[in-house]
């Protein structure tokens, strides 16, 4: 694909994300997407067979970007990496709020045919979290019998909801404050064998504050 066509597709994606997050998939038309992107209607059909195909490609594009952002945050032991991945998800949603709203509003609707996109979210984005939880389980740092797949989905969904709540109701609140609260909640899921802030020989999941 040429760089010019890729740039055009990105303009269409960004226009569609904004419109669909504002008014829903059903109410958004190809004409509106073309107008918002500043292109002719024919340009949309040159790149996509229709609105549904554009939306499917848009979800793949957005989820790929989110997954790349989460993977880039993985560094060090799995416990430390998990807290950084959760922070990365918060930061991504803070920057790409419209895409997050689109995910919440449209992707899991059962009367739509976005199952491929949902599977992509699970395998790519949520998969980053489940991979870390699997490592923690192998090291004996998760409660016995914990369903790692369900836990990873729960963490992903919790952070998504918290991030949108933060951006909607408390946009001036620092990201680090929100992240610290999320990390403390998640730590309750992990085994804490002592009260010193060290857990099973590894660092606490909760970010440490620098004394003032």
């Amino acid at each position: 694909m040429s760089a010019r066509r890729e740039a055009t597709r990105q303009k269409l994606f960004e226009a569609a994300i904004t419109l669909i997050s504002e008014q829903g998939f059903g109410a958004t038309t190809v004409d509106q997407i073309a107008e918002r992107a500043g292109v002719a209607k024919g340009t949309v059909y040159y790149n996509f067979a229709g609105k549904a195909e554009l939306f499917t490609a848009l979800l793949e594009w957005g989820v790929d970007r989110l997954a790349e952002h989460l993977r880039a945050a993985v560094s060090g032991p799995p416990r430390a990496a998990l807290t950084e991945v959760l922070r990365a998800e918060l930061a991504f949603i803070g920057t790409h709020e419209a895409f997050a709203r689109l995910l919440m509003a449209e992707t899991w609707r059962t009367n739509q045919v976005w199952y491929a996109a949902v599977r992509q979210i699970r395998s790519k984005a949520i998969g980053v979290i489940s991979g870390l939880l699997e490592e923690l389980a192998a090291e004996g740092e998760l409660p016995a019998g914990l369903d790692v797949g369900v836990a990873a989905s729960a963490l992903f969904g919790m952070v998504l909801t918290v991030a949108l709540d933060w951006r909607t109701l408390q946009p001036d609140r620092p990201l680090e404050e929100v992240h610290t609260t999320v990390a403390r909640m998640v730590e309750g899921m992990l085994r804490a064998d002592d009260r010193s802030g060290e857990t099973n020989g590894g660092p606490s999941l909760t970010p440490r504050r620098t004394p003032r």
Side-chain angles (χ1 to χ4, degrees):
M1 185 182 300
S2 68
R4 180 176 180 181
R5 187 176 182 190
E6 181 62 32
T8 298
R9 286 167 64 91
Q10 183 164 333
K11 285 172 63 177
L12 291 171
F13 288 153
E14 290 172 350
I17 286 172
T18 302
L19 288 166
I20 294 171
S21 69
E22 290 175 351
Q23 59 193 31
F25 177 81
T28 300
T29 67
V30 170
D31 284 342
Q32 291 172 332
I33 293 170
E35 182 180 0
R36 180 67 65 96
V39 302
K41 181 178 179 179
T43 300
V44 180
Y45 289 109
Y46 175 74
N47 286 276
F48 306 99
K51 186 176 72 169
E53 289 75 15
L54 187 158
F55 185 65
T56 299
L58 180 158
L59 287 174
E60 293 175 355
W61 174 77
V63 172
D64 278 342
R65 294 178 72 188
L66 171 57
E68 288 172 7
H69 196 71
L70 299 185
R71 284 194 297 269
V74 177
S75 179
R79 182 181 292 273
L82 179 59
T83 194
E84 289 306 313
V85 166
L86 297 180
R87 185 188 185 285
E89 185 182 348
L90 282 170
F92 183 91
I93 295 169
T95 304
H96 303 90
E97 189 176 333
F99 179 70
R101 294 188 185 284
L102 182 152
L103 286 181
M104 288 284 282
E106 299 291 340
T107 308
W108 279 274
R109 288 193 181 186
T110 56
N111 62 331
Q112 308 252 14
V113 289
W114 315 136
Y115 299 116
V118 172
R119 286 195 296 270
Q120 184 186 25
I121 293 168
R122 169 169 282 280
S123 65
K124 292 186 176 181
I126 299 176
V128 177
I129 298 173
S130 63
L132 292 170
L133 291 180
E134 286 170 2
E135 291 185 48
L136 287 168
E139 295 175 0
E141 296 206 26
L142 292 183
L146 182 72
D147 187 318
V148 168
V150 172
S153 294
L155 287 179
F156 179 86
M158 178 187 72
V159 174
L160 177 61
T161 302
V162 167
L164 288 176
D165 179 86
W166 161 47
R167 297 307 304 158
T168 302
L169 301 177
Q170 305 177 76
D172 295 329
R173 190 175 184 184
L175 182 150
E176 296 304 334
E177 284 188 10
V178 179
H179 175 232
T180 296
T181 300
V182 168
R184 285 175 175 165
M185 292 174 63
V186 174
E187 188 159 359
M189 185 183 72
L190 304 177
R191 280 187 184 147
D193 289 340
D194 59 53
R195 311 268 181 184
S196 65
E198 299 295 315
T199 310
N200 286 348
S204 169
L205 183 65
T206 305
R208 296 185 178 181
R209 292 181 176 274
T210 302
R212 295 183 179 179

